[in-house]
Structures are given as C-alpha cells and as structure tokens.
Amino acid sequence: MATSAMAVTSSVVSGAALQTAPLAKPMIKKSLKWGMVKEDLSVMDKFKLLKDLGYDGVELDSPDDKITMKEVLEARDKTGLELPGTVNSMHWKLPLSDPDPKKREQCVKSIEKALHDTKAFGGTTVLVVPGVVNATTTYGEAYERSQAEIRKLLPVAEKTGVKIAFENVWNQFLISPLEAARYVDEFKHPMVGWYFDVGNVLRYGYPVSWIEALDKRILKLDLKEFSFKKQNDLGLWKGFDVEFMEGDCNWAEVNKALTKIGYSGWASAEVSGGDRKRLLTIREKMDEVFKA
C-alpha cells in the first residue's frame, strides 16, 4: 500500500512539474543572409567573423557560382557556424509562375540544385518565392503554374530530406494568411511548408494573424522591422528603414503567438547589412527581439 501511494504521489508531482515547466522559447538560433556580410574577406574569414559576433548560422544563396562547396564546408567545419538552409537565387529572375515554360523549367532546375546543396551543407530548407503576379501573369495563372512546378520537385525534396519553404514577399501573391495555409495544404505533402517573414506581412495584415493561420506549417522565420509611420510619411518601401524594436512588428506578441503554436527554432535577419560594427548591431538587436 505504501509503495502504491508513493507511486501515485510521484505521478501527481511529475504531472504538476510538466504543467509548470516553462515553454520552449520560439526563437533560439540566430542566422542572417550571406549577402548582408559586406566585409572584403574570404569565405573562411566571413564565417569566423559571424561566429565571433555571436551568430549561430548563415544562409547562403543557391545556386551560387561565386563560392565553392569545398570552401563552404571547410569554413563550416572549422568555425562551427551552421548552415540552416539556403535561399533559391533564381525565383525572382525566372519565377515558377512565368508564362514561358522554359523559364519555369530553369527555375525548377535551380531549386533542385539548391535542395542538393542544402543537403550537403547540413541544412533543412530551401527558401522559395512560389510565384509572382504582374502584368503578364494573373493571380490564377501564378497559383496553377507554381503548384504544378513545385510538384515536380517533391521527389527531390523527399530524396534529399530538405523541405521547400515558401516565403511571403511583396510579389502580389498569397497575400492572405488563410490562403497561404491552404496553398501549403493542397500539396498534401510533408516536404513543403512556410518560411514566415514577420516584417513583410505588415503591408497586408498583422503577424499574429499569420502565425495563427500558418501554425505548424511555419518551418523557419525571417526577421525584419516595419514602420507604418515611415511608410505613410516617406513612402511604402521606407517602412523597412527602421531598426528592430522601433517599428510596428510588436515582437512581444509575435513571440507569444509563436510559443502558442509550439515554434522553437531558427530566426534569420534579412535587413541591410554592412561591416563588422553593423553586423554586431544587428545581432544585438536580434537579442532584444528574442527576449521580447
């Protein structure tokens, strides 16, 4: 009887401990985009610089003929700086929604290469802008074409184990959070998801609404700030010309929403870069965002 009572008591205590245990922080690893590093250094020295400044990782463009796989892997292994994913380098120039099937095919091939590169880097996602709506491509055409092209890539994603992560950008496409979620779901495939850019959505709505709608579809985060005041006073694009914590993203609410959906992972800065001093400022500002 005593043993049984002790077991029950232990079970109750364990349950209580689980209920009171703090939830995992949503943003736990800091990354940035390779193009933000403006110091005139070798690949190795750029990796060393970022590691010294307190970054956990960096995302490269792919395909990229300016740097070799060998020097990237050597720099990664020497410094311990991680490569969480890549950004496809062709999705703007040759969008998956382009009227020309040859251009769409080129983009598909570039994403295929990015998937293989990312696997070699040890990353888990390729950021892809799924389509662009413009004067020559209607919304419906962008939707249909992009999904058809992405489906061609699913076997490659399966083979590499690297996921295709769609990002919300100012491409006049997938501008509603519910539609963005539906777009992912229609693939009925575990190798697609969303690369959520917090600052980009301020043009169309509020980050919390997007986070709630996208939920577990969010694979990674891009961070930038946006100011309604600068947008209204100086012009639309000037809205981005503001430091973290000085705009309208409301990072405390963003963190609450991310915690609610159980996100805990990478956050990558995508802002104006610069030299060592500027990159340190960005990392320090990211600390504030992480703690908000």
Side-chain angles (χ1 to χ4, degrees):
M1 290 294 291
T3 301
S4 177
M6 286 176 65
V8 171
T9 302
S10 176
S11 176
V12 172
V13 171
S14 297
L18 286 172
Q19 290 178 1
T20 58
L23 295 171
K25 290 184 177 181
M27 304 185 203
I28 58 174
K29 287 192 173 184
K30 301 179 188 70
S31 181
L32 76 169
K33 308 305 181 189
W34 182 246
M36 292 167 56
V37 185
K38 304 300 184 183
E39 293 273 7
D40 186 16
L41 299 168
S42 67
V43 171
M44 179 68 76
D45 286 338
K46 285 184 178 181
F47 270 61
K48 288 179 179 178
L49 170 64
L50 294 175
K51 191 67 175 178
D52 289 345
L53 293 178
Y55 288 96
D56 302 296
V58 63
E59 289 200 326
L60 307 182
D61 294 329
S62 180
D64 185 351
D65 58 7
K66 297 183 180 66
I67 55 179
T68 68
M69 177 70 68
K70 182 175 182 289
E71 58 188 340
V72 170
L73 295 182
E74 286 178 351
R76 179 200 66 183
D77 295 343
K78 177 81 172 180
T79 64
L81 192 73
E82 296 181 63
L83 296 158
T86 63
V87 180
N88 179 253
S89 58
M90 305 299 286
H91 52 205
W92 280 113
K93 183 181 179 182
L94 302 167
L96 292 170
S97 54
D98 196 278
D100 185 346
K102 291 183 179 179
K103 290 183 178 180
R104 299 200 301 271
E105 182 182 6
Q106 285 179 272
C107 189
V108 167
K109 288 181 178 178
S110 77
I111 297 172
E112 183 173 345
K113 178 154 192 332
L115 288 165
H116 286 290
D117 284 350
T118 305
K119 179 185 179 182
F121 293 151
T124 57
T125 56
V126 174
L127 188 159
V128 172
V129 173
V132 179
V133 175
N134 53 34
T136 61
T137 301
T138 68
Y139 208 104
E141 288 169 339
Y143 203 101
E144 182 179 352
R145 289 172 188 162
S146 63
Q147 284 196 333
E149 300 300 336
I150 290 160
R151 286 192 176 95
K152 297 174 184 177
L153 288 159
L154 295 180
V156 185
E158 287 179 353
K159 182 179 179 180
T160 59
V162 176
K163 295 186 177 183
I164 300 168
F166 309 125
E167 188 180 40
N168 48 291
V169 293
W170 290 8
N171 51 341
Q172 314 306 323
F173 184 52
L174 303 179
I175 56 179
S176 152
L178 296 178
E179 180 189 31
R182 186 186 76 184
Y183 184 86
V184 172
D185 292 346
E186 285 174 349
F187 288 100
K188 295 184 171 66
H189 201 284
M191 298 308 291
V192 295
W194 205 265
Y195 203 124
F196 180 58
D197 189 306
V198 180
N200 279 349
V201 301
L202 267 290
R203 182 180 178 185
Y204 305 113
Y206 290 92
V208 169
S209 298
W210 280 75
I211 293 166
E212 288 178 349
L214 291 172
D215 200 1
K216 299 298 184 182
R217 302 169 188 84
I218 296 177
L219 303 175
K220 288 194 176 82
L221 303 172
D222 261 351
L223 305 186
K224 59 171 68 79
E225 188 62 87
F226 192 83
S227 165
F228 290 135
K229 186 177 189 307
K230 287 206 169 186
Q231 170 196 280
N232 295 334
D233 293 349
L234 303 173
L236 182 60
W237 284 93
K238 289 294 184 180
F240 290 121
D241 191 16
V242 60
E243 294 284 8
F244 287 124
M245 307 301 292
E246 297 174 11
D248 294 295
C249 283
N250 195 341
W251 296 103
E253 290 302 311
V254 167
N255 279 328
K256 286 180 185 177
L258 290 169
T259 299
K260 187 176 179 181
I261 66 168
Y263 180 86
S264 185
W266 285 95
S268 180
E270 190 180 33
V271 298
S272 296
D275 59 11
R276 171 184 286 268
K277 182 179 178 181
R278 171 62 182 157
L279 296 174
L280 176 59
T281 297
I282 294 169
R283 199 273 295 157
E284 291 172 342
K285 289 290 184 180
M286 290 180 77
D287 286 342
E288 294 181 42
V289 169
F290 278 38
K291 295 174 183 176

